[in-house]
Amino acid sequence: MKKPFQLINWFGLIFFVIVLGTSGFMIIENYDLLDAVYMTVITISTIGYFEVIPLTPTGKIFNILLIITSFATFTYTLARLTQFVASGEMALYLKNRKLMKAIDKLENHVIICGLGRNGQQAAHTLKVHKVDFVVVESNDKNINDWLQSDQSLVYVNGDATDDETLIKAGILKAKALIIALPADADNVFIVLSARSLNQHIQIISRASNQGSIMKLKKAGANNIIMPDKIGGTHMATLVSKPDVVEFIDFLSSEEGEGINMESLDYEKLPAHLKDKTLKEVIDWRKTGVNCIGVKNKNQIFMINPPLETIISKGMKIIVLGTKTQIHSMKHNFTESLS
Protein backbone atom coordinates (compact mmCIF):
# COMPACT_ATOMS: atom_id res chain seq x y z
CA MET A 1 0.00 0.00 0.00
CA LYS A 2 3.09 2.28 -0.09
CA LYS A 3 3.03 2.29 -3.89
CA PRO A 4 0.40 5.06 -4.22
CA PHE A 5 2.64 7.36 -2.18
CA GLN A 6 5.59 6.47 -4.45
CA LEU A 7 3.48 7.29 -7.51
CA ILE A 8 2.60 10.64 -5.99
CA ASN A 9 6.29 11.30 -5.31
CA TRP A 10 7.26 10.40 -8.89
CA PHE A 11 4.66 12.63 -10.50
CA GLY A 12 5.35 15.29 -7.89
CA LEU A 13 8.99 15.32 -8.99
CA ILE A 14 7.94 15.93 -12.61
CA PHE A 15 5.59 18.70 -11.52
CA PHE A 16 8.41 20.29 -9.50
CA VAL A 17 10.67 20.36 -12.58
CA ILE A 18 7.90 22.01 -14.64
CA VAL A 19 7.31 24.65 -11.95
CA LEU A 20 11.05 25.23 -11.63
CA GLY A 21 11.47 25.67 -15.39
CA THR A 22 8.44 27.95 -15.70
CA SER A 23 9.61 30.13 -12.82
CA GLY A 24 13.14 30.31 -14.23
CA PHE A 25 12.03 31.47 -17.69
CA MET A 26 9.66 34.04 -16.19
CA ILE A 27 12.34 35.49 -13.90
CA ILE A 28 15.40 35.28 -16.17
CA GLU A 29 13.81 35.95 -19.59
CA ASN A 30 10.72 37.87 -18.50
CA TYR A 31 8.42 35.43 -20.34
CA ASP A 32 4.71 35.56 -19.58
CA LEU A 33 3.18 32.47 -17.93
CA LEU A 34 2.00 30.75 -21.13
CA ASP A 35 5.31 31.27 -22.94
CA ALA A 36 7.24 30.08 -19.88
CA VAL A 37 5.16 26.89 -19.58
CA TYR A 38 5.45 26.27 -23.34
CA MET A 39 9.23 26.74 -23.25
CA THR A 40 9.56 24.43 -20.26
CA VAL A 41 7.49 21.66 -21.87
CA ILE A 42 9.35 21.69 -25.20
CA THR A 43 12.64 21.71 -23.30
CA ILE A 44 11.99 18.80 -20.92
CA SER A 45 10.28 16.78 -23.67
CA THR A 46 13.32 17.32 -25.96
CA ILE A 47 11.07 18.17 -28.94
CA GLY A 48 13.52 20.76 -30.17
CA TYR A 49 11.32 23.66 -31.29
CA PHE A 50 12.85 27.13 -31.53
CA GLU A 51 12.72 29.41 -28.51
CA VAL A 52 9.75 31.72 -28.17
CA ILE A 53 12.23 34.58 -27.77
CA PRO A 54 15.99 34.11 -28.29
CA LEU A 55 17.61 33.28 -24.97
CA THR A 56 20.15 35.45 -23.22
CA PRO A 57 23.45 33.85 -22.09
CA THR A 58 22.03 33.48 -18.59
CA GLY A 59 18.89 31.90 -20.02
CA LYS A 60 20.96 29.45 -22.07
CA ILE A 61 22.86 28.32 -18.95
CA PHE A 62 19.56 27.89 -17.10
CA ASN A 63 18.15 25.92 -20.05
CA ILE A 64 21.17 23.59 -20.10
CA LEU A 65 20.71 22.83 -16.38
CA LEU A 66 16.97 22.33 -16.92
CA ILE A 67 17.58 19.85 -19.75
CA ILE A 68 20.03 17.82 -17.63
CA THR A 69 17.74 17.85 -14.61
CA SER A 70 14.56 17.02 -16.52
CA PHE A 71 16.23 14.24 -18.55
CA ALA A 72 17.42 12.49 -15.38
CA THR A 73 14.04 12.99 -13.70
CA PHE A 74 11.98 11.70 -16.62
CA THR A 75 14.27 8.71 -17.21
CA TYR A 76 14.02 7.66 -13.56
CA THR A 77 10.25 8.20 -13.33
CA LEU A 78 9.50 6.39 -16.59
CA ALA A 79 11.64 3.42 -15.54
CA ARG A 80 9.91 3.15 -12.15
CA LEU A 81 6.44 3.54 -13.67
CA THR A 82 7.17 0.87 -16.30
CA GLN A 83 8.40 -1.49 -13.59
CA PHE A 84 5.31 -0.75 -11.48
CA VAL A 85 2.96 -1.65 -14.35
CA ALA A 86 4.94 -4.58 -15.83
CA SER A 87 5.44 -6.33 -12.48
CA GLY A 88 1.69 -6.43 -11.86
CA GLU A 89 1.92 -4.14 -8.83
CA MET A 90 -0.46 -1.65 -10.45
CA ALA A 91 -3.10 -4.35 -11.00
CA LEU A 92 -2.59 -5.60 -7.44
CA TYR A 93 -2.96 -2.11 -6.02
CA LEU A 94 -6.17 -1.47 -7.98
CA LYS A 95 -7.54 -4.85 -6.88
CA ASN A 96 -6.76 -4.14 -3.21
CA ARG A 97 -8.32 -0.72 -3.52
CA LYS A 98 -11.50 -2.25 -4.96
CA LEU A 99 -11.63 -4.77 -2.09
CA MET A 100 -11.16 -2.04 0.53
CA LYS A 101 -14.02 -0.05 -1.00
CA ALA A 102 -16.25 -3.14 -0.91
CA ILE A 103 -15.39 -3.71 2.77
CA ASP A 104 -16.04 -0.04 3.65
CA LYS A 105 -19.60 -0.42 2.34
CA LEU A 106 -20.33 -3.43 4.57
CA GLU A 107 -22.04 -3.20 7.94
CA ASN A 108 -23.23 -5.93 10.31
CA HIS A 109 -21.26 -8.44 8.28
CA VAL A 110 -19.36 -11.55 9.36
CA ILE A 111 -15.57 -11.91 9.39
CA ILE A 112 -14.05 -15.35 8.81
CA CYS A 113 -10.46 -15.76 9.96
CA GLY A 114 -8.87 -18.60 8.01
CA LEU A 115 -9.97 -20.11 4.71
CA GLY A 116 -9.00 -23.70 5.44
CA ARG A 117 -11.53 -26.55 5.39
CA ASN A 118 -13.61 -25.17 8.27
CA GLY A 119 -13.38 -21.60 7.04
CA GLN A 120 -14.41 -22.63 3.53
CA GLN A 121 -17.45 -24.47 4.86
CA ALA A 122 -18.45 -21.44 6.94
CA ALA A 123 -18.02 -19.16 3.93
CA HIS A 124 -20.03 -21.48 1.70
CA THR A 125 -22.92 -21.64 4.20
CA LEU A 126 -22.98 -17.84 4.64
CA LYS A 127 -22.94 -17.40 0.87
CA VAL A 128 -25.88 -19.81 0.46
CA HIS A 129 -27.90 -17.84 3.02
CA LYS A 130 -26.83 -14.51 1.46
CA VAL A 131 -25.02 -13.21 4.54
CA ASP A 132 -22.29 -10.64 3.81
CA PHE A 133 -18.85 -11.80 4.94
CA VAL A 134 -15.17 -10.91 4.66
CA VAL A 135 -12.39 -13.50 4.74
CA VAL A 136 -9.04 -12.86 6.41
CA GLU A 137 -6.40 -15.25 5.09
CA SER A 138 -2.59 -15.12 4.87
CA ASN A 139 -2.21 -18.14 2.57
CA ASP A 140 -2.36 -17.05 -1.07
CA LYS A 141 -3.13 -20.59 -2.25
CA ASN A 142 -6.32 -20.83 -0.19
CA ILE A 143 -7.53 -17.52 -1.59
CA ASN A 144 -6.63 -18.38 -5.19
CA ASP A 145 -8.31 -21.79 -4.94
CA TRP A 146 -11.57 -20.12 -3.88
CA LEU A 147 -11.27 -17.38 -6.52
CA GLN A 148 -11.11 -19.98 -9.28
CA SER A 149 -14.78 -20.74 -8.70
CA ASP A 150 -15.97 -17.50 -7.10
CA GLN A 151 -14.49 -14.16 -8.13
CA SER A 152 -16.86 -12.23 -5.86
CA LEU A 153 -14.98 -13.17 -2.68
CA VAL A 154 -14.29 -10.16 -0.47
CA TYR A 155 -11.07 -10.78 1.45
CA VAL A 156 -8.10 -9.27 3.22
CA ASN A 157 -4.79 -10.96 2.53
CA GLY A 158 -3.04 -10.69 5.89
CA ASP A 159 -2.39 -12.03 9.38
CA ALA A 160 -5.58 -12.20 11.46
CA THR A 161 -3.56 -11.85 14.68
CA ASP A 162 -2.70 -8.28 13.63
CA ASP A 163 -5.15 -5.64 14.86
CA GLU A 164 -4.68 -3.57 11.70
CA THR A 165 -5.75 -6.53 9.56
CA LEU A 166 -8.94 -6.98 11.60
CA ILE A 167 -9.68 -3.27 11.30
CA LYS A 168 -9.24 -3.48 7.51
CA ALA A 169 -11.75 -6.35 7.51
CA GLY A 170 -14.27 -4.06 9.24
CA ILE A 171 -14.19 -5.49 12.78
CA LEU A 172 -15.55 -2.21 14.15
CA LYS A 173 -18.79 -2.60 12.13
CA ALA A 174 -19.06 -6.41 12.02
CA LYS A 175 -21.73 -8.35 13.89
CA ALA A 176 -19.87 -11.66 14.17
CA LEU A 177 -16.39 -13.14 13.94
CA ILE A 178 -15.70 -16.77 13.01
CA ILE A 179 -12.17 -17.89 13.87
CA ALA A 180 -11.18 -21.08 12.05
CA LEU A 181 -7.39 -21.19 12.34
CA PRO A 182 -5.80 -24.58 13.17
CA ALA A 183 -3.62 -23.28 16.04
CA ASP A 184 -5.49 -22.69 19.30
CA ALA A 185 -2.89 -20.16 20.47
CA ASP A 186 -3.58 -18.00 17.41
CA ASN A 187 -7.32 -18.30 17.98
CA VAL A 188 -6.99 -17.14 21.61
CA PHE A 189 -4.89 -14.16 20.51
CA ILE A 190 -7.45 -13.17 17.85
CA VAL A 191 -10.31 -13.45 20.36
CA LEU A 192 -8.48 -11.09 22.74
CA SER A 193 -7.77 -8.60 19.96
CA ALA A 194 -11.30 -8.74 18.54
CA ARG A 195 -12.96 -8.32 21.93
CA SER A 196 -10.81 -5.27 22.70
CA LEU A 197 -11.72 -3.72 19.34
CA ASN A 198 -15.46 -4.49 19.45
CA GLN A 199 -17.11 -5.26 22.78
CA HIS A 200 -20.44 -6.27 21.24
CA ILE A 201 -19.33 -8.57 18.43
CA GLN A 202 -20.30 -12.25 18.58
CA ILE A 203 -17.15 -14.37 18.52
CA ILE A 204 -17.24 -18.02 17.46
CA SER A 205 -13.91 -19.80 17.66
CA ARG A 206 -12.59 -23.18 16.64
CA ALA A 207 -10.71 -25.26 19.21
CA SER A 208 -8.60 -28.34 18.54
CA ASN A 209 -7.87 -29.27 22.17
CA GLN A 210 -10.27 -29.59 25.09
CA GLY A 211 -7.91 -27.59 27.29
CA SER A 212 -8.23 -24.55 25.05
CA ILE A 213 -11.97 -24.14 25.60
CA MET A 214 -11.68 -22.35 28.96
CA LYS A 215 -8.91 -20.11 27.63
CA LEU A 216 -11.03 -19.07 24.68
CA LYS A 217 -14.02 -18.38 26.94
CA LYS A 218 -11.90 -16.27 29.29
CA ALA A 219 -10.51 -14.39 26.30
CA GLY A 220 -14.04 -13.42 25.29
CA ALA A 221 -15.37 -16.03 22.86
CA ASN A 222 -19.15 -16.49 22.90
CA ASN A 223 -19.08 -19.95 21.40
CA ILE A 224 -16.34 -22.55 20.97
CA ILE A 225 -16.61 -25.29 18.36
CA MET A 226 -14.55 -28.48 18.25
CA PRO A 227 -14.92 -29.77 14.65
CA ASP A 228 -13.78 -33.32 15.43
CA LYS A 229 -16.20 -33.65 18.34
CA ILE A 230 -19.10 -32.27 16.32
CA GLY A 231 -18.26 -34.55 13.41
CA GLY A 232 -18.29 -37.66 15.60
CA THR A 233 -21.52 -36.62 17.33
CA HIS A 234 -23.14 -35.90 13.99
CA MET A 235 -22.26 -39.33 12.61
CA ALA A 236 -23.52 -41.09 15.74
CA THR A 237 -26.77 -39.09 15.71
CA LEU A 238 -27.33 -40.06 12.08
CA VAL A 239 -27.61 -43.61 13.37
CA SER A 240 -29.83 -42.91 16.37
CA LYS A 241 -31.96 -40.06 14.96
CA PRO A 242 -31.40 -39.99 11.19
CA ASP A 243 -34.56 -38.10 10.21
CA VAL A 244 -33.96 -35.31 12.74
CA VAL A 245 -30.36 -34.82 11.64
CA GLU A 246 -31.32 -34.89 7.97
CA PHE A 247 -33.95 -32.23 8.64
CA ILE A 248 -31.40 -29.99 10.38
CA ASP A 249 -28.94 -30.54 7.52
CA PHE A 250 -31.71 -29.59 5.11
CA LEU A 251 -32.26 -26.29 6.92
CA SER A 252 -28.59 -25.34 6.52
CA SER A 253 -28.24 -26.56 2.93
CA GLU A 254 -28.95 -24.80 -0.36
CA GLU A 255 -32.23 -26.71 -0.67
CA GLY A 256 -33.35 -25.27 2.65
CA GLU A 257 -32.34 -21.73 1.82
CA GLY A 258 -35.93 -20.53 2.03
CA ILE A 259 -36.41 -21.89 5.57
CA ASN A 260 -34.95 -20.09 8.56
CA MET A 261 -34.64 -20.38 12.31
CA GLU A 262 -34.09 -17.09 14.07
CA SER A 263 -34.27 -15.61 17.55
CA LEU A 264 -36.41 -12.60 18.45
CA ASP A 265 -35.18 -10.55 21.38
CA TYR A 266 -37.60 -9.19 24.00
CA GLU A 267 -36.09 -5.73 23.53
CA LYS A 268 -37.14 -5.69 19.86
CA LEU A 269 -40.78 -6.41 20.60
CA PRO A 270 -43.29 -3.54 20.32
CA ALA A 271 -44.22 -2.06 23.70
CA HIS A 272 -47.73 -3.52 23.63
CA LEU A 273 -46.34 -7.06 23.20
CA LYS A 274 -43.76 -6.95 25.97
CA ASP A 275 -44.64 -9.02 29.04
CA LYS A 276 -47.44 -10.67 27.07
CA THR A 277 -48.06 -14.35 26.38
CA LEU A 278 -46.24 -16.23 23.64
CA LYS A 279 -49.58 -16.73 21.87
CA GLU A 280 -50.15 -12.97 21.64
CA VAL A 281 -46.66 -12.39 20.25
CA ILE A 282 -46.84 -15.13 17.62
CA ASP A 283 -50.42 -14.37 16.59
CA TRP A 284 -49.95 -10.61 16.27
CA ARG A 285 -50.48 -9.74 12.59
CA LYS A 286 -50.24 -13.43 11.73
CA THR A 287 -47.28 -14.30 9.51
CA GLY A 288 -47.30 -18.09 9.85
CA VAL A 289 -44.09 -18.52 11.87
CA ASN A 290 -43.91 -21.21 14.56
CA CYS A 291 -42.24 -20.94 17.94
CA ILE A 292 -39.99 -23.95 18.60
CA GLY A 293 -38.34 -22.69 21.77
CA VAL A 294 -37.76 -19.91 24.24
CA LYS A 295 -34.49 -18.88 25.89
CA ASN A 296 -35.11 -17.43 29.35
CA LYS A 297 -33.08 -14.78 31.18
CA ASN A 298 -30.95 -17.52 32.77
CA GLN A 299 -29.92 -18.68 29.28
CA ILE A 300 -31.90 -21.91 29.64
CA PHE A 301 -33.88 -23.18 26.65
CA MET A 302 -37.52 -24.22 26.91
CA ILE A 303 -38.38 -26.49 23.99
CA ASN A 304 -41.91 -26.26 22.59
CA PRO A 305 -43.05 -23.89 25.37
CA PRO A 306 -46.75 -23.54 26.22
CA LEU A 307 -48.55 -20.64 24.55
CA GLU A 308 -49.32 -19.17 27.98
CA THR A 309 -45.59 -18.51 28.60
CA ILE A 310 -45.02 -14.83 29.47
CA ILE A 311 -42.29 -13.25 27.38
CA SER A 312 -40.43 -11.03 29.83
CA LYS A 313 -37.20 -9.02 29.93
CA GLY A 314 -34.07 -10.98 28.99
CA MET A 315 -35.94 -13.67 27.05
CA LYS A 316 -35.64 -14.66 23.39
CA ILE A 317 -38.11 -16.48 21.16
CA ILE A 318 -36.78 -19.04 18.68
CA VAL A 319 -39.01 -19.13 15.59
CA LEU A 320 -39.12 -21.33 12.50
CA GLY A 321 -40.53 -20.24 9.16
CA THR A 322 -39.78 -19.25 5.62
CA LYS A 323 -37.64 -16.21 4.95
CA THR A 324 -40.72 -14.33 3.81
CA GLN A 325 -42.64 -15.17 6.99
CA ILE A 326 -39.80 -14.17 9.30
CA HIS A 327 -39.13 -11.00 7.31
CA SER A 328 -42.82 -10.08 7.58
CA MET A 329 -42.79 -10.65 11.34
CA LYS A 330 -39.67 -8.49 11.81
CA HIS A 331 -41.15 -5.83 9.54
CA ASN A 332 -44.32 -5.78 11.64
CA PHE A 333 -42.30 -5.28 14.80
CA THR A 334 -40.11 -2.57 13.25
CA GLU A 335 -43.11 -0.79 11.79
CA SER A 336 -44.82 -0.79 15.17
CA LEU A 337 -41.75 0.55 16.95
CA SER A 338 -41.42 3.41 14.49
Side-chain angles (χ1 to χ4, degrees):
M1 299 304 291
K2 295 180 180 179
K3 290 298 179 183
F5 298 104
Q6 292 182 13
L7 280 174
I8 293 172
N9 290 336
W10 298 338
F11 287 111
L13 194 58
I14 294 174
F15 180 74
F16 172 75
V17 172
I18 293 174
V19 171
L20 180 65
T22 302
S23 302
F25 284 120
M26 291 179 70
I27 295 171
I28 297 173
E29 299 295 338
N30 295 316
Y31 284 1
D32 60 32
L33 178 61
L34 180 59
D35 286 342
V37 172
Y38 174 75
M39 190 66 188
T40 301
V41 171
I42 65 172
T43 299
I44 65 179
S45 61
T46 65
I47 291 177
Y49 290 159
F50 289 105
E51 296 92 347
V52 176
I53 301 174
L55 297 174
T56 63
T58 305
K60 289 177 181 179
I61 294 173
F62 172 76
N63 204 26
I64 290 171
L65 296 175
L66 179 63
I67 291 171
I68 295 172
T69 303
S70 62
F71 180 77
T73 301
F74 268 76
T75 302
Y76 171 78
T77 302
L78 185 61
R80 298 298 296 167
L81 187 60
T82 302
Q83 180 187 20
F84 185 59
V85 174
S87 65
E89 291 180 77
M90 175 71 83
L92 181 60
Y93 164 68
L94 293 175
K95 185 177 182 180
N96 287 336
R97 186 177 179 183
K98 182 180 178 181
L99 287 170
M100 289 302 103
K101 284 185 176 181
I103 293 173
D104 288 341
K105 292 179 182 178
L106 294 178
E107 193 169 346
N108 291 324
H109 59 287
V110 178
I111 300 173
I112 302 175
C113 296
L115 200 58
R117 287 176 297 177
N118 292 297
Q120 287 179 19
Q121 186 59 47
H124 177 71
T125 301
L126 291 175
K127 183 176 176 63
V128 166
H129 289 280
K130 296 180 175 58
V131 177
D132 292 328
F133 66 90
V134 176
V135 169
V136 177
E137 175 59 71
S138 59
N139 190 322
D140 291 339
K141 183 179 183 303
N142 289 343
I143 294 175
N144 292 331
D145 287 346
W146 183 284
L147 290 175
Q148 287 180 5
S149 59
D150 179 15
Q151 288 291 324
S152 65
L153 179 69
V154 179
Y155 64 91
V156 174
N157 192 342
D159 185 359
T161 61
D162 185 359
D163 285 6
E164 288 300 318
T165 303
L166 292 177
I167 291 173
K168 285 181 182 177
I171 188 86
L172 303 179
K173 300 187 295 180
K175 67 176 180 180
L177 174 69
I178 297 175
I179 307 172
L181 299 184
D184 288 352
D186 290 340
N187 293 340
V188 171
F189 193 88
I190 295 171
V191 171
L192 286 168
S193 298
R195 186 55 71 198
S196 66
L197 292 169
N198 187 338
Q199 289 290 325
H200 305 291
I201 193 170
Q202 180 186 11
I203 301 177
I204 303 165
S205 176
R206 168 187 172 174
S208 300
N209 301 312
Q210 187 72 32
S212 301
I213 293 179
M214 287 306 299
K215 295 177 183 177
L216 287 163
K217 285 185 177 179
K218 289 180 180 179
N222 300 98
N223 304 93
I224 295 96
I225 306 298
M226 296 188 70
D228 293 339
K229 182 178 179 181
I230 289 178
T233 302
H234 191 84
M235 288 186 287
T237 309
L238 273 170
V239 176
S240 59
K241 301 175 183 178
D243 295 331
V244 174
V245 175
E246 287 178 9
F247 176 70
I248 294 174
D249 288 343
F250 170 77
L251 291 180
S252 59
S253 68
E254 294 186 31
E255 292 81 3
E257 179 190 348
I259 303 175
N260 271 14
M261 281 192 295
E262 290 200 29
S263 65
L264 299 174
D265 197 298
Y266 168 87
E267 299 297 336
K268 294 183 180 179
L269 294 176
H272 69 277
L273 290 180
K274 291 181 178 179
D275 301 308
K276 300 295 183 180
T277 65
L278 178 60
K279 180 176 177 16
E280 290 175 282
V281 175
I282 296 299
D283 286 349
W284 186 66
R285 294 188 184 179
K286 294 180 182 292
T287 57
V289 299
N290 294 301
C291 174
I292 59 175
V294 169
K295 188 177 184 181
N296 65 24
K297 60 183 179 182
N298 297 319
Q299 308 301 302
I300 298 174
F301 284 99
M302 301 167 56
I303 306 302
N304 195 23
L307 293 175
E308 293 76 24
T309 302
I310 302 296
I311 306 302
S312 57
K313 187 175 179 62
M315 296 179 70
K316 293 182 180 180
I317 306 169
I318 313 300
V319 296
L320 174 68
T322 65
K323 279 190 173 182
T324 302
Q325 290 171 336
I326 292 177
H327 175 76
S328 296
M329 188 175 195
K330 287 183 174 181
H331 176 73
N332 291 341
F333 290 164
T334 306
E335 187 181 58
S336 178
L337 287 170
S338 61

